[in-house]
Amino acid sequence: LWAGEAVTQVPLGAVFRQGSGWACYVLEQGRARLRKIEIGHRGETGVEIVSGLQLGERVIVHPGDRVQEGVRVEQQD
């Protein structure tokens, strides 16, 4: 069990391994943008983001094979 103040976190399904590090896709002006990130603590459903994302950015959860850098994506709420 871990707790912290002002922790940025995203759903676990948004992050994936890229080489020896971690990455995720963010939604930026209707396109997927690959972002290298540094993660901290992980839980069953979420992961702490130490660096690489700004508060309020939208991440793509479970991006799948068709999502790549620069591909157009549609936001679903």
Side-chain angles (χ1 to χ4, degrees):
L1 184 63
W2 181 84
E5 291 186 31
V7 174
T8 300
Q9 69 174 359
V10 299
L12 189 59
V15 301
F16 52 89
R17 297 292 282 176
Q18 184 182 46
S20 62
W22 291 91
C24 70
Y25 283 105
V26 296
L27 180 61
E28 189 176 281
Q29 297 180 351
R31 299 200 177 267
R33 298 295 177 199
L34 183 63
R35 196 67 68 75
K36 292 182 180 179
I37 57 173
E38 182 180 343
I39 67 170
H41 296 89
R42 286 184 282 179
E44 290 182 26
T45 60
V47 61
E48 174 190 17
I49 303 298
V50 176
S51 66
L53 288 179
Q54 298 296 319
L55 187 62
E57 287 186 299
R58 291 186 172 257
V59 296
I60 300 173
V61 180
H62 303 294
D65 297 350
R66 297 184 348 198
V67 177
Q68 297 178 7
E69 171 66 27
V71 73
R72 184 166 295 284
V73 292
E74 187 175 315
Q75 177 178 324
Q76 296 178 351
D77 291 319

